[in-house]
Amino acid sequence: MVIVKARPYDYQFSPEKTALIVIDMQRDFIEPGGFGETLGNNVKLLAAIVPTVKRLLDACRSAAMTIIHTREAHRPDLSDLPPAKRNRGNPKLRIGDEGAMGRILIAGEPGTDIVRSCAPLPGEIVIDKPGKGAFYATALGDILRLRGATHLLFAGVTTEVCVQTTMREANDRGYDSLLIEDATESYFPEFKRATMEMIRAQGAVVGWTATCDQLAAALHAEARTR
Ligand code: TIU
C-alpha cells in the first residue's frame, strides 16, 4: 500500500488498482499562438508545469500504474460539438476553425495533440472527449472498470475546468481521487487556489491533494518494502 502525506489527510492506494489520468495537456492550451492564447489567456502559466507532469508520468510508469491521457477533441464534422459550446463568448477563433496549429480542438489536428514531453507511450490509453468531464460521452468508465481501478491520480489543465469537472464525475462514481497540486494549472491562479481548497474541504468532499514530491516519496517508500 502506498501512503501519501496528502491533504486533508493521508491518501492510501494500491498501484495495481490506480490509474493516473492526465487531462488535456494539449498544444492548443499550452503553447504560444494556440487556442488558449486567442481566448486572452497567459499560456506561460500552463507551460510551467510541463516538466512536473513529465516527472509524474515517469514516477507512475515506474510503478506500473495504468496511464490515461485525455484530449479535448471533437469530430471533424463537428457533430459532437453543441452550438452552445462553439458560440459561447463569441471568440475570434472557434472550435473547428483553422488556427495556427490546424483546426482548433479537432481530432487529428497538430494543435489538438499532447505536448511532446508528455506524449503517450505505446500501451498508454488516450481518450478524446467532447466535454469538460472525461467520463461524459467517452469509454473512460468502462476502461477503468475493466482494469479494476478504485483510485485515480489527477494532473493536467485547466484545474478548475476539465480537471475539477472530471474529479467531481469520478467522486460520484465512487473513486477516491488525488490531485497533484504542482502538476495542474489554471489560467487564473486564484481559481487554482480555490479549487485546491474546495476539493479537500469538509474531510475530502471531492478528494485529496498532494505535491508530486510527496507522491514520489510515498512510491519510493513502498518500493523499498518489496
Ligand atoms: N481542458 C480544459 O480545461 N478546457 C478548457 O476549455 N479550459 C479552459 O480553462 N478554458
Side-chain angles (χ1 to χ4, degrees), residues 3-222:
I3 304 173
V4 186
K5 291 282 170 217
R7 292 199 275 175
Y9 57 93
D10 287 358
Y11 174 86
Q12 302 194 16
F13 68 94
S14 303
E16 65 274 16
K17 290 188 176 174
T18 303
L20 169 66
I21 303 186
V22 181
I23 304 279
D24 299 1
M25 290 294 290
Q26 293 165 256
R27 298 181 63 202
D28 250 322
F29 291 124
I30 293 172
E31 293 187 2
F35 184 49
E37 202 169 72
T38 70
L39 294 173
N41 298 306
N42 174 9
V43 297
K44 285 203 187 87
L45 282 170
L46 270 52
I49 67 161
V50 169
T52 309
V53 175
K54 167 76 164 99
R55 201 153 53 81
L56 174 66
L57 276 163
D58 288 342
C60 293
R61 285 164 177 155
S62 297
M65 287 167 41
T66 291
I67 310 282
I68 298 175
H69 306 257
T70 71
R71 297 183 294 211
E72 192 168 340
H74 292 273
R75 298 179 189 182
D77 65 4
L78 308 185
S79 57
D80 61 354
L81 176 62
K85 182 175 180 183
R86 180 164 152 85
N87 298 333
R88 190 81 54 83
N90 201 22
K92 278 201 303 274
L93 282 175
R94 294 165 198 237
I95 295 171
D97 288 350
E98 198 66 42
M101 296 184 273
R103 291 182 70 201
I104 290 167
L105 299 190
I106 299 300
E109 298 288 331
T112 306
D113 218 346
I114 292 167
V115 295
R116 189 191 303 253
S117 61
C118 298
L121 295 185
E124 296 178 354
I125 293 161
V126 181
I127 290 178
D128 282 345
K129 61 183 183 59
K132 304 305 186 201
F135 286 87
Y136 170 69
T138 73
L140 179 59
D142 290 332
I143 290 167
L144 293 173
R145 200 163 34 252
L146 287 169
R147 300 252 167 162
T150 57
H151 288 63
L152 304 176
L153 312 186
F154 280 96
V157 300
T158 61
T159 311
E160 81 283 9
V161 182
C162 292
V163 177
Q164 182 171 210
T165 301
T166 305
M167 286 188 74
R168 289 178 182 277
E169 288 182 323
N171 197 36
D172 284 345
R173 286 163 174 77
Y175 294 98
D176 279 331
S177 296
L178 174 71
L179 176 57
I180 307 303
E181 296 166 20
D182 46 350
T184 183
E185 194 50 87
S186 169
Y187 297 121
F188 306 93
E190 68 275 25
F191 289 174
K192 175 177 175 177
R193 262 196 307 280
T195 301
M196 294 298 148
E197 286 177 22
M198 62 178 85
I199 281 171
R200 61 190 178 225
Q202 304 178 62
V205 67
V206 177
W208 287 254
T209 77
T211 64
C212 188
D213 280 347
Q214 285 170 322
L215 174 70
L219 288 169
H220 278 132
E222 196 266 346

